[in-house]
Amino acid sequence: MRKFMIMLTGIAVVGLLAACAPTKVSSSDRPETSFAPPTVSETPLDRTPVPGLPTEDMMFIFRGNEDATKLERVEVFVDEMTEDAILEKLIQFGVLDEGTEILSFEIEGDMPIGPGAPEGTTGGGERIGTLNLSQVPASGTADETMFLGAIGNTFIENYELDKLKLLVNGANYESGNVSQGDEDYLEYVTEYVNVQDDSEEEE
């Protein structure tokens, strides 16, 4: 009987030790763990202009070429397109002299009709600008043709005019070569070349 009890005790101890032993897990039973780096979003950056940031206006300035044989049209950018900004560029490009002022600039007639206007829309009248300058350059016949064409084309194109009336100190333009009356206007000169501004080419 005593030997039987000892045997039962031994079996119980062996069973207890077996229960406390760590369980071995094969590699196939282990849960998979991913150590891949976090993905990076490939969504493109939003490049929509932010409201409130400064923008520039584009305008065209005309000038005569070096030998005064053809008009050149230069595309320029300014903070805001105004008659004063145009005057500044005309002086910069040598069309008008330093110190020239715009005494007045007025537009009469219909608003320009853009490409989005309904089909069949008509203006119903000419759009005419009247530019009154404090002075104009003294020049020969060829130079005079160029600077008159440059002034006329610049204001006609930027303000979408049909024609431009040029006054000097409130009087019709007059020189030794040209004498304009009340019904004389500067018309748009269609023969010109597009050029890049010299200062832009140097940048």
Side-chain angles (χ1 to χ4, degrees):
M1 183 67 178
R2 185 177 179 183
K3 290 181 179 180
F4 178 72
M5 290 298 294
I6 291 173
M7 185 177 295
L8 286 177
T9 300
I11 293 173
V13 171
V14 171
L16 182 61
L17 291 174
C20 294
T23 303
K24 293 183 179 181
V25 180
S26 67
S27 59
S28 60
D29 296 330
R30 293 175 183 171
E32 294 184 0
T33 303
S34 175
F35 292 99
T39 57
V40 179
S41 174
E42 295 182 358
T43 304
L45 296 176
D46 184 3
R47 300 184 184 276
T48 304
V50 179
L53 290 182
T55 57
E56 291 185 315
D57 288 342
M58 181 187 73
M59 64 185 185
F60 294 103
I61 303 296
F62 288 79
R63 65 187 181 190
N65 61 2
E66 291 184 358
D67 56 1
T69 58
K70 190 175 288 291
L71 285 176
E72 297 178 340
R73 185 175 75 163
V74 186
E75 179 183 293
V76 299
F77 292 88
V78 293
D79 293 336
E80 182 181 4
M81 195 201 78
T82 63
E83 56 264 34
D84 288 332
I86 290 176
L87 174 66
E88 181 180 341
K89 290 297 182 181
L90 287 174
I91 293 174
Q92 177 185 329
F93 290 161
V95 177
L96 296 174
D97 294 334
E98 287 282 353
T100 301
E101 298 179 0
I102 294 179
L103 302 180
S104 64
F105 176 60
E106 300 175 353
I107 298 175
E108 296 181 359
D110 296 335
M111 292 295 293
I113 299 175
E119 185 177 353
T121 302
T122 58
E126 286 187 305
R127 181 172 163 84
I128 302 173
T130 300
L131 175 65
N132 186 13
L133 297 177
S134 63
Q135 62 182 7
V136 291
S139 61
T141 305
D143 292 338
E144 183 177 38
T145 301
M146 286 297 100
F147 83 71
L148 287 177
I151 293 171
N153 274 26
T154 296
F155 279 87
I156 290 171
E157 177 146 341
N158 287 299
Y159 286 100
E160 299 181 60
L161 307 174
D162 292 296
K163 53 190 178 182
L164 179 73
K165 180 66 177 177
L166 177 62
L167 303 176
V168 182
N169 288 313
N172 289 323
Y173 175 79
E174 186 174 357
S175 71
N177 306 304
V178 178
S179 180
Q180 290 191 337
D182 292 341
E183 301 301 319
D184 292 324
Y185 299 87
L186 299 180
E187 306 281 350
Y188 192 77
V189 180
T190 58
E191 294 183 3
Y192 60 82
V193 293
N194 291 305
V195 299
Q196 184 178 25
D197 183 15
D198 297 338
S199 61
E200 293 179 359
E201 291 176 356
E202 294 173 359
E203 294 178 356

